[in-house]
Amino acid sequence: NAGVTQTPKFRILKIGQSMTLQCTQDMNHNYMYWYRQDPGMGLKLIYYSVGAGITDKGEVPNGYNVSRSTTEDFPLRLELAAPSQTSVYFCASSFYPGADTQYFGPGTRLTVL
Amino acid sequence: KQEVTQIPAALSVPEGENLVLNCSFTDSAIYNLQWFRQDPGKGLTSLLLIQSSQREQTSGRLNASLDKSSGRSTLYIAASQPGDSATYLCAVLVNAGNMLTFGGGTRLMVKP
């Protein structure tokens, strides 16, 4: 049981490039989330999904896209990377957030130059 | 809009001290409140989850309390150890589905 895994761990992008951050969970959770954490700050929700085929925007969705074709995978797509997207990105999952905590991956540290 | 504040932003204590971390939130209509631990360069680990109908939760040397009406929670750490050094984040779930709103965290250092 690996929990929530994220790849890559680190990435440097040039302005205007695109990339996909991968997230996989093996706990059969319906709910999955993408957060970003800027230095010295708490986490902010980018997108979330309540099940395969269903996604919705969080607090800071601009510049990102997501898809959820399977229960296990929830990739985050960055189009036209900008320096403001330099951050640490965390993926999380939960069974039912009202009763259960969220389980976090180790994060992806992204720098846009 | 829900806002979560944690004070202090950083705290340094000698080993063995009992300490309290504070969390406040602006909207009392929360579903639950959670405390997380984050080690440098790592993800978050859940410590305690308090449902809105509960007043406190305990796990080992950790005790978290919740006062919804005043919009406050505290995390009490007894007999602190150097291994407790980490950033502690509180977060509130505004509704059953979806969005955790996080505070900025308290960075704790416990000196041997």
Side-chain angles (χ1 to χ4, degrees), chain B residues 76-95:
Chain B
Y76 175 81
I77 302 177
S80 59
Q81 303 170 357
D84 294 330
S85 298
T87 296
Y88 291 81
L89 294 152
C90 77
V92 296
L93 188 69
V94 176
N95 57 55

Side-chain angles (χ1 to χ4, degrees), chain A:
Chain A
N1 190 335
V4 180
T5 57
Q6 293 182 238
T7 57
K9 285 186 168 48
F10 304 93
R11 184 73 186 268
I12 298 175
L13 283 181
K14 294 182 179 178
I15 294 172
Q17 287 185 321
S18 301
M19 76 165 294
T20 299
L21 282 66
Q22 301 291 345
C23 175
T24 300
Q25 53 92 7
D26 63 359
M27 296 173 281
N28 203 31
H29 286 162
N30 286 327
Y31 290 78
M32 295 188 74
Y33 310 83
W34 274 106
Y35 294 90
R36 61 176 286 172
Q37 185 179 33
D38 298 325
M41 308 288 284
L43 282 70
K44 293 191 176 181
L45 184 67
I46 305 171
Y47 271 95
Y48 66 94
S49 169
V50 303
I54 306 170
T55 63
D56 206 348
K57 296 177 181 178
E59 187 180 359
V60 289
N62 291 342
Y64 307 95
N65 277 301
V66 293
S67 60
R68 183 101 180 266
S69 57
T70 67
T71 299
E72 296 78 19
D73 300 306
F74 190 39
L76 177 71
R77 177 86 178 157
L78 278 71
E79 305 281 1
L80 298 175
S84 61
Q85 293 177 305
T86 294
S87 190
V88 181
Y89 292 84
F90 290 100
C91 179
S93 72
S94 69
F95 177 61
Y96 177 60
D100 186 27
T101 189
Q102 294 183 17
Y103 297 85
F104 283 79
T108 294
R109 185 174 297 274
L110 175 67
T111 302
V112 182
L113 300 174

Side-chain angles (χ1 to χ4, degrees), chain B residues 19-93:
Chain B
L19 57 98
V20 174
L21 307 182
N22 296 296
C23 172
S24 62
F25 46 95
T26 55
D27 186 345
S28 62
I30 65 169
Y31 207 84
N32 63 43
L33 182 143
Q34 303 180 41
W35 283 92
F36 292 89
R37 169 182 172 140
Q38 185 177 26
D39 292 290
K42 301 287 179 62
L44 279 68
T45 301
S46 178
L47 296 173
L48 291 163
L49 184 155
I50 312 176
Q51 298 291 356
S52 63
S53 58
Q54 297 175 318
R55 296 284 293 183
E56 66 177 347
Q57 282 284 348
T58 298
S59 176
R61 293 183 294 107
L62 305 180
N63 175 277
S65 68
L66 173 64
D67 183 343
K68 240 181 37 162
S69 60
S70 68
R72 295 180 187 278
S73 175
T74 61
L75 178 67
Y76 175 81
I77 302 177
S80 59
Q81 303 170 357
D84 294 330
S85 298
T87 296
Y88 291 81
L89 294 152
C90 77
V92 296
L93 188 69

